Amino acid sequence: QVQIVESGGGLVQPGGSLRLSCAASGRILSIYSMGWYRQGPGKQRELVATMISTGGTNYADSVKGRFTISRDNARNTVYLQMNSLKPEDTAVYYCYARLRPWDTSSEYWGQGTQVTVSS
């Protein structure tokens, strides 16, 4: 089995920064894709940022230029640096890892970490 553990959420004022971390552990040979989704109050879960093992990234338009995703493949860890945070970034942020690109059953999710942007 694979475990996904997120950390780094919290309360921050508008314009502030937070860094989320996510570590995957367990029976892992390699991870194709890791990244972050979020679900705000009364909203559907949406993509925030993803990164594949070769370094390619994908960002939601709403976070481009403010958020940066990075990975440490040796540690099976992904990070999300969030700058210039806005109240609309308030959400539970979920990390995922997909081990094989063609296999949705190889996708694992964390429990989520709360990010609240408020003055």
Side-chain angles (χ1 to χ4, degrees):
Q1 276 293 357
V2 174
Q3 294 79 43
I4 306 291
V5 178
E6 305 110 331
S7 61
L11 173 64
V12 64
Q13 292 186 341
S17 298
L18 280 177
R19 188 187 193 218
L20 304 183
S21 300
C22 168
S25 62
R27 300 183 65 180
I28 299 171
L29 294 178
S30 64
I31 299 176
Y32 168 70
S33 174
M34 292 187 80
W36 299 89
Y37 280 67
R38 69 186 180 186
Q39 187 166 14
K43 299 180 180 180
Q44 291 188 329
R45 191 175 295 193
E46 62 178 0
L47 177 147
V48 177
T50 63
M51 178 179 265
I52 61 174
S53 55
T54 54
T57 59
N58 185 32
Y59 290 93
D61 287 343
S62 60
V63 307
K64 285 180 181 177
R66 300 188 297 122
F67 292 10
T68 302
I69 189 170
S70 59
R71 266 177 76 165
D72 183 338
N73 290 331
R75 292 182 169 82
N76 294 330
T77 300
V78 66
Y79 307 95
L80 186 68
Q81 178 65 44
M82 305 185 293
N83 298 329
S84 302
L85 282 160
K86 304 175 181 180
E88 51 263 43
D89 295 316
T90 294
V92 178
Y93 284 69
Y94 297 91
C95 176
Y96 82 94
R98 178 179 284 197
L99 306 188
R100 295 175 291 277
W102 63 88
D103 185 3
T104 57
S105 71
S106 73
E107 191 168 278
Y108 299 88
W109 290 82
Q111 293 298 309
T113 185
Q114 177 70 47
V115 172
T116 302
V117 185
S118 175
S119 55

